């Protein structure tokens, strides 16, 4: 719904009034602390607002969004979010949520120079390359596009599982569990791709097992 710049502050006042009507102490409680159970990593796309699609209130979900919901191992931003969410907020679940009709995924499917976007889209192009056999076998372009959205979610969720933070958290506390979802813009429905967190963890640990690094090499507790 388009609104003018000034309207946003009017909207905000109405929202505040509405929240106080529901619970007079709402903002007092909100200011005290946050104890979200979920970390949501999703696309920046304006049509996929984390709290709304999950039906959650302020304070319920810790959110990180970027173009194409990527978890890149040199992106200090997303790694910091994961680290903070796991070590300090003790989130129980980490969700990587993609969406069909994702512009980032679409752009990555077009083999041309996108300027500044190139290095970012490379992550999605790498997902295509890893799964090119499956993807190239899909003749319908829209279906191939949708499948790449799903595979990108699975690969980014796997990237979350590759982090020392998540592996150590899970070893110590049995959480977080990592999930992969896709949001369908046409229906508003969230689809759980039902990735098998334990199986992925076990399958990658031959190469990516980082659970022992802390005591040996990284005394100050930094972990990526
Ligand atoms: Co998108």
């Amino acid at each position: 719904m388009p609104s003018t710049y000034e309207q946003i502050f009017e909207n905000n006042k109405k929202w505040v009034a509405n929240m106080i009507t529901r619970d007079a102490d709402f903002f007092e409680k909100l200011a005290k602390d946050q104890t979200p159970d979920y970390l949501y990593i999703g696309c920046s796309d304006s049509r996929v607002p984390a709290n709304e699609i999950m039906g959650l209130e302020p304070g319920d979900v810790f959110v990180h969004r970027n173009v194409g919901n990527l978890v890149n191992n040199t992106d200090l931003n997303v790694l910091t979010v994961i680290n903070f969410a796991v070590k300090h907020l003790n989130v129980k679940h980490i969700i990587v949520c993609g969406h069909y009709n994702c512009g980032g995924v679409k752009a990555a499917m077009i083999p041309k120079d996108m300027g500044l976007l190139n290095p970012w889209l490379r992550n999605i192009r790498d997902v295509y390359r890893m799964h090119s056999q499956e993807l190239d076998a899909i003749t319908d372009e829209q279906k191939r596009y949708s499948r790449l959205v799903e595979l990108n979610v699975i690969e980014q969720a796997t990237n979350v599982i590759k982090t020392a933070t998540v592996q150590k958290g899970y070893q110590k506390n049995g959480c977080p569990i990592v999930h992969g979802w896709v949001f369908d813009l046409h229906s508003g429905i969230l689809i759980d791709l039902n990735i098998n967190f334990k199986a992925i963890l076990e399958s990658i640990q031959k190469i990516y097992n980082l659970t022992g690094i802390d005591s040996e090499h990284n005394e100050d507790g930094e972990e990526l």
Side-chain angles (χ1 to χ4, degrees), residues 42-45 47-48 66-69 98-105:
C43 186
S44 297
D45 194 302
R47 301 166 296 177
V48 194
N66 62 39
V67 173
N69 41 270
H99 67 102
Y100 297 128
N101 298 80
C102 180
V105 173

Side-chain angles (χ1 to χ4, degrees), residues 21 37 39 52 62 69 103 114 141 154 216:
T21 307
D37 284 337
L39 163 60
E52 280 89 336
F62 201 62
N69 41 270
M114 301 270 184
E141 198 182 324
I154 294 166
E216 291 170 26

Side-chain angles (χ1 to χ4, degrees), residues 118-130:
N118 288 335
W120 194 252
L121 296 180
R122 241 284 292 283
N123 296 286
I124 309 175
R125 291 189 169 125
D126 286 343
V127 175
Y128 197 111
R129 182 176 53 79
M130 277 188 271

Side-chain angles (χ1 to χ4, degrees), residues 26 84 109 116 121 190:
F26 181 81
F84 187 76
M109 285 179 76
L116 185 62
L121 296 180
L190 271 175

Side-chain angles (χ1 to χ4, degrees), residues 20-205:
I20 291 172
T21 307
R22 282 166 50 187
D23 177 357
D25 300 326
F26 181 81
F27 291 101
E28 278 303 313
K29 290 182 202 158
L30 198 64
K32 265 188 195 138
D33 203 3
Q34 63 166 337
T35 55
D37 284 337
Y38 308 98
L39 163 60
Y40 169 101
I41 300 170
C43 186
S44 297
D45 194 302
S46 60
R47 301 166 296 177
V48 194
N51 282 68
E52 280 89 336
I53 63 172
M54 294 167 81
L56 295 177
E57 296 288 329
D60 289 342
V61 55
F62 201 62
V63 174
H64 178 81
R65 291 168 69 181
N66 62 39
V67 173
N69 41 270
L70 299 182
V71 179
N72 181 329
N73 72 329
T74 56
D75 176 7
L76 200 54
N77 190 347
V78 72
L79 296 176
T80 303
V81 167
I82 291 170
N83 192 283
F84 187 76
V86 173
K87 291 189 78 178
H88 301 281
L89 298 175
N90 301 311
V91 294
K92 308 218 169 17
H93 303 273
I94 299 179
I95 296 134
V96 175
C97 184
H99 67 102
Y100 297 128
N101 298 80
C102 180
V105 173
K106 183 88 183 168
M109 285 179 76
I110 303 164
K112 74 167 196 182
D113 182 2
M114 301 270 184
L116 185 62
L117 284 174
N118 288 335
W120 194 252
L121 296 180
R122 241 284 292 283
N123 296 286
I124 309 175
R125 291 189 169 125
D126 286 343
V127 175
Y128 197 111
R129 182 176 53 79
M130 277 188 271
H131 299 276
S132 58
Q133 218 171 355
E134 178 187 344
L135 289 163
D136 289 342
I138 304 170
T139 48
D140 183 298
E141 198 182 324
Q142 187 64 30
K143 283 186 183 148
R144 190 163 67 240
Y145 175 22
S146 293
R147 184 57 184 153
L148 181 56
V149 166
E150 295 170 0
L151 290 169
N152 182 47
V153 166
I154 294 166
E155 289 300 333
Q156 304 314 321
T158 304
N159 286 343
V160 175
I161 302 170
K162 287 174 193 166
T163 63
T165 308
V166 168
Q167 290 182 27
K168 286 182 191 176
Y170 182 71
Q171 192 180 47
K172 204 171 144 199
N173 308 314
C175 65
I177 306 291
V178 180
H179 308 269
W181 297 353
V182 176
F183 180 68
D184 186 344
L185 287 167
H186 288 288
S187 64
I189 297 293
L190 271 175
I191 299 155
D192 190 343
L193 296 175
N194 288 313
I195 64 165
N196 190 331
F197 170 71
K198 271 188 167 176
I200 294 173
L201 181 64
E202 278 167 27
S203 72
I204 65 167
Q205 279 198 324

